[in-house]
Amino acid sequence: RAAEAGLAAAAAARCPSGGDYFVVRSGADAVLGALRPPIGDGTLRLCGDGNDGVAMQAALLLAECLAEAEANVKQVSGPASLAEAFSRQLAFRRRWKAPEKTGGLRIFSRRRPAEEAGRPELVTGESRSAATVIEWLDACEVEAGIDAAQRTPGRVALERFGGVYVRRQKDGELACICGVVGQATSPGGRRIGLVYTPPSLRRAGHATELVKSVTSVLLDDRTGPGFATVVVPAGALDGLWTRAGYCHVGDTAEYRLDPAPRALPTDAVDDDSETVQ
């Protein structure tokens, strides 16, 4: 295993501008994968079971090999435990500053459809409620604090979603919207990418009921992976997802590596040294 990872690391060091893919195996089984695409920000993306001790050992081994090959790694992302272990080991071996955590995600999953979940209504650009949905999609990005120059116009977002699922109040007016992203044939399948309820209609259970019904639609799709996942920013509350029957299954983390030399602890100074003024 060390030889295989070491050769891959050495190749990466010789071709720092190209994309790199590393696999660390335990016997015949691949326990850790790492991908650095040839375009983008150069982030090394780890893939493995963060709760598996063998995968953890593989992450440390890969860090050792890349450190020895002096590979250029500036960003690392992946399962939280693996990303942290890899980043710290690489920084330690290269005598760099301690890695800085810059972000992360929380992952929730559900495998069975909700009981007695009604079929949600799908609103498209031609639907009578399209104008309200577009207004709410714009409001969602504003509330999320997205810079004005980076926002996606509501009409464009509605088209990209291919329609947005909605829940209505008893009087027929909209109460909540939910957008779905991804493809059924992709590894993660289709998943909920947005849920929004206007402030005046919150805390009435609209979002929970809509998420339940939309999740049931996703799980009923026989071409999908057989489970539904949700990815939310680190620090997001569990409430909506746990009420809708999802379980928290993992976290990811991102770390920035700084090649500046790490500072020595103050107690490492020789007690016999003298200060000259």
Side-chain angles (χ1 to χ4, degrees), residues 130-149:
T132 302
V133 168
I134 290 170
E135 179 184 341
W136 288 9
L137 288 170
D138 287 330
C140 181
E141 295 218 333
V142 172
E143 284 194 34
I146 299 175
D147 185 86

Side-chain angles (χ1 to χ4, degrees), residues 133-190:
V133 168
I134 290 170
E135 179 184 341
W136 288 9
L137 288 170
D138 287 330
C140 181
E141 295 218 333
V142 172
E143 284 194 34
I146 299 175
D147 185 86
Q150 303 298 323
R151 294 174 194 159
T152 302
R155 184 170 297 280
V156 175
L158 180 58
E159 293 176 356
R160 289 181 180 175
F161 280 126
V164 170
Y165 291 102
V166 304
R167 177 178 172 82
R168 295 186 181 273
Q169 305 176 61
K170 292 182 179 180
D171 61 4
E173 296 298 320
L174 292 184
C176 182
I177 62 174
C178 175
V180 174
V181 298
Q183 301 293 328
T185 55
S186 64
R190 301 174 68 216

